[in-house]
Structures are given as C-alpha cells and as structure tokens.
Amino acid sequence: SRRAAGNTHGFSLLEIMVALVLIAVVIVSVIQLSSANLRNLATADDQVEALAYANAKMREVLALEKLEDKSWNEMDDYGYSYEITIAENLKERTDALGVQMKDITVVTNWINNSRKKQIVLKTSKMVSKADALIDVDNQSSPDDIPDEAMSIE
C-alpha cells in the first residue's frame, strides 16, 4: 500500500468532511454567542438608564429637608413610575439618642418590549430628632424645643 510507504499526497474524503463539520460547529457557536451578546447589551443599556433615573429620584428624596414616615407614588415624563417609602428603623435603639434612622426605598418600574421591569434602591439616613420634630409649617424650630428634649443621655 502506498500509505504505508509514506507516499500520501493529501487528505482523505473522510478527513475533509470531519474538518468541515468542526468548522461549521465553531462558526455557528460564534454567531449564536454574538447575537446573545447583542441582546444582553440592549438589556443592560435599558437597565443602566433606569438605574440612572432611580438614582436621581433617590438623591431627590435624600435632599428633602424633612423626612417624614410616608409612602407615595410618582410618574415622570420618560415612562418611569416610582414608589417611594420613608420609614423609621431601629426605633428601639435610637430612642435615647438625638437621632432617628430612616429607611428610604425607591422602587422604579417601567415597561420595555411589553414586559414590566423593576429596580429597587434602598438606603438609610440618620436624621436629627430636632429636625424631625420641626413642624411642617415651620411653626416651631430647634430653638423652640426645650433643652431636655434635645439632650443626649
């Protein structure tokens, strides 16, 4: 046989077919990964945009002069709705202190491609009890609060 003598001049038909199948599998895999990556990029872009709006809303809430325990809903011009909640936390631990811990939650909802999506941001903020005692109408101020109410024991 010629093969045994080392006189081979090329590949057999079987070797060529196996090589073509392997190349086809690799090409199909690369194309599928690329399309999956493009879908993921579009989703990530959508989520990054929503996160930016949610972060802006959280900063807006944190900038409020007075953080009262309450919940409310808002809607913006870009199709995002917000559920905002402010609630006192660790009350038993802060009763003897001159501060309150407020938990702030901003739930951002939007619809993309007929699917409802949501991002939840949570944080805590320490506020002075003197600031928390100030009436909404500014009828009292920290100067009007007796020293006993403002002292830390």
Side-chain angles (χ1 to χ4, degrees):
S1 95
R2 290 175 151 188
R3 240 175 213 242
N7 287 339
T8 59
H9 293 289
F11 297 104
S12 70
L13 182 59
L14 181 61
E15 291 171 331
I16 291 174
M17 290 186 67
V18 169
L20 288 175
V21 167
L22 288 175
I23 290 171
V25 167
V26 169
I27 289 174
V28 167
S29 298
V30 168
I31 290 171
Q32 286 179 340
L33 286 174
S34 296
S35 65
N37 285 339
L38 289 174
R39 281 192 306 273
N40 289 339
L41 282 173
T43 301
D45 185 47
D46 181 47
Q47 290 177 344
V48 167
E49 183 178 335
L51 187 58
Y53 285 114
N55 188 32
K57 184 57 67 177
M58 177 65 83
R59 289 178 182 272
E60 187 180 308
V61 172
L62 288 170
L64 294 174
E65 284 187 33
K66 183 172 178 167
L67 293 176
E68 299 175 352
D69 291 358
K70 64 180 179 175
S71 293
W72 71 96
N73 295 322
E74 293 182 12
M75 184 87 171
D76 68 12
D77 296 335
Y78 305 104
Y80 294 94
S81 65
Y82 306 95
E83 300 166 22
I84 303 160
T85 304
I86 301 172
E88 186 173 357
N89 187 16
L90 303 173
K91 184 172 175 45
E92 63 282 348
R93 291 187 174 188
T94 59
D95 275 343
L97 302 175
V99 295
Q100 290 180 331
M101 285 298 292
K102 298 287 186 171
D103 282 346
I104 302 153
T105 305
V106 175
V107 180
T108 305
N109 297 296
W110 74 100
I111 295 175
N112 185 11
N113 296 330
S114 304
R115 294 178 61 194
K116 183 178 178 184
K117 300 202 175 186
Q118 183 178 76
I119 289 180
V120 179
L121 297 182
K122 293 183 178 185
T123 192
S124 295
K125 183 176 182 180
M126 190 180 321
V127 296
S128 166
K129 281 187 181 176
D131 292 341
L133 292 173
I134 297 174
D135 191 20
V136 177
D137 299 326
N138 291 326
Q139 293 174 354
S140 63
S141 68
D143 297 333
D144 299 333
I145 299 171
D147 289 336
E148 304 86 48
M150 293 180 64
S151 67
I152 299 175
E153 297 179 19

